[in-house]
Amino acid sequence: MAATRLELNLMRLLSRCEALAAERRDAEEWRLEKYVAALEDMLRELKKQASKPAPELLNEYSRKVDFLKGLLEAEKLPSSTEKALANQFLAPGRTPTTVKERTPATKTVHLQTKARCTGKMRSELLGTVSDLTLLSCQFFPLCSYRGLASDEKQSAVELDAVLQRHQDMQEKLAEEMLSLVRSLKNNTLAAQNVIKQDNQTLSHSLKMADQNFEKLKDESDRLEQHAKKSVNWLLWIMLIVVCFIFISMILFIRIFPKLK
């Protein structure tokens, strides 16, 4: 079924919201919150329509809208720890919104948000460590910030490694899904060929059974006619024999009279 105008508008706005969520936004940014509220209204209207999409597609739309709404609520939390914990419970979409997307944009946003929260947590932790380092430098003049810089560099490397690992896992999962789809397609084609051959065999068997039934019917008719003919000949023969015996007895009585 073709998508309605309302569904197309919802998909466009949803794609725009995903793009905004992927960007680094200022605290005064208000567009995403207004867009998500508009998405909720459009989704409610879409569910009320008679020509609404399939239930699976509606569930996917609801899942993405709830993810964006939860993302906005998590950003309003005061501490980075609470934000990171709230992001752990968010459920991104499972399918891409547009054809151009290779992986769902909400999954990418989810990974980016996790990385940002983790980075902020580590920055806060490193900031605490730097305060302690400055305090210790007042007592030990020979201390330097090279260890702190190396920790920040290591943190960035770890973040890149986490993102790369998630990307590798997604690619591996996509390859496994493609392999499963190919295997399912091959099994379906094989089963289809077997069923087709069985149908041909069954049709041939039914055709042969019909032919044998017709032949059996013809032979039965011929046998019945033959039986009727044989019975008629036997009856005539018996009548002739009886008449011959009767005539013979009369002649015998005439020729050989009774003895006195």
Side-chain angles (χ1 to χ4, degrees):
M1 184 175 63
T4 60
R5 185 179 183 85
L6 180 60
E7 185 179 358
L8 291 175
N9 292 334
L10 186 141
M11 291 173 63
R12 293 191 187 101
L13 186 57
L14 182 59
S15 177
R16 177 59 179 162
C17 290
E18 291 171 349
L20 285 175
E23 299 174 356
R24 290 184 177 272
R25 300 182 306 279
D26 297 331
E28 294 81 10
E29 178 64 42
W30 55 270
R31 290 181 299 171
L32 182 59
E33 188 172 357
K34 296 295 183 181
Y35 289 169
V36 172
L39 278 176
E40 292 179 337
D41 296 337
M42 294 171 70
L43 186 59
R44 281 194 293 268
E45 291 295 328
L46 186 62
K47 290 180 179 179
K48 293 178 183 178
Q49 284 187 348
S51 58
K52 58 185 178 181
E56 295 81 4
L57 196 55
L58 282 176
N59 292 334
E60 184 66 17
Y61 291 153
S62 300
R63 187 184 182 93
K64 292 179 179 180
V65 173
D66 292 340
F67 170 78
L68 294 172
K69 185 178 178 181
L71 187 66
L72 290 174
E73 293 176 354
E75 289 179 352
K76 295 178 182 179
L77 296 175
S79 64
S80 300
T81 306
E82 292 177 351
K83 291 180 180 179
L85 184 61
N87 276 294
Q88 291 292 333
F89 293 100
L90 294 179
R94 298 175 181 173
T95 58
T97 305
T98 60
V99 183
K100 297 179 181 180
E101 296 177 5
R102 183 178 177 184
T103 57
T106 48
K107 286 188 177 181
T108 306
V109 173
H110 195 205
L111 292 175
Q112 291 177 352
T113 308
K114 281 184 179 180
R116 290 172 189 169
C117 294
T118 306
K120 289 181 180 179
M121 290 175 60
R122 291 183 178 179
S123 298
E124 292 176 359
L125 180 60
L126 291 174
T128 305
V129 172
S130 64
D131 292 339
L132 294 175
T133 305
L134 288 174
L135 183 61
S136 63
C137 285
Q138 294 177 0
F139 297 96
F140 302 97
L142 296 177
C143 67
S144 64
Y145 293 96
R146 283 183 292 179
L148 182 59
S150 63
D151 291 338
E152 292 178 352
K153 186 176 181 180
Q154 183 179 0
S155 175
V157 171
E158 289 178 357
L159 285 176
D160 293 338
V162 169
L163 292 175
Q164 185 63 35
R165 185 166 66 252
H166 281 289
Q167 185 68 25
D168 294 339
M169 290 174 62
Q170 288 183 357
E171 291 179 356
K172 184 177 180 181
L173 182 61
E175 291 177 358
E176 290 179 355
M177 290 178 66
L178 287 175
S179 178
L180 289 175
V181 169
R182 292 192 190 98
S183 177
L184 181 61
K185 182 179 179 181
N186 293 332
N187 293 335
T188 304
L189 291 176
Q192 185 178 0
N193 292 331
V194 171
I195 293 173
K196 187 176 180 181
Q197 292 177 0
D198 292 341
N199 289 333
Q200 291 177 354
T201 304
L202 182 60
S203 300
H204 182 68
S205 300
L206 291 174
K207 187 176 180 181
M208 293 296 294
D210 292 337
Q211 292 178 357
N212 292 333
F213 179 75
E214 293 294 333
K215 290 181 179 179
L216 182 61
K217 186 177 180 181
D218 294 338
E219 294 296 331
S220 298
D221 294 338
R222 289 176 59 187
L223 183 61
E224 184 178 358
Q225 293 176 2
H226 183 70
K228 287 180 180 179
K229 290 180 179 179
S230 61
V231 169
N232 290 334
W233 281 107
L234 183 63
L235 181 61
W236 282 107
I237 291 173
M238 290 178 65
L239 287 174
I240 292 172
V241 170
V242 170
C243 292
F244 178 76
I245 294 173
F246 179 74
I247 294 172
S248 300
M249 290 297 295
I250 293 175
L251 291 175
F252 182 78
I253 292 171
R254 292 290 185 183
I255 295 172
F256 300 99
K258 185 177 180 183
L259 297 177
K260 295 181 178 180

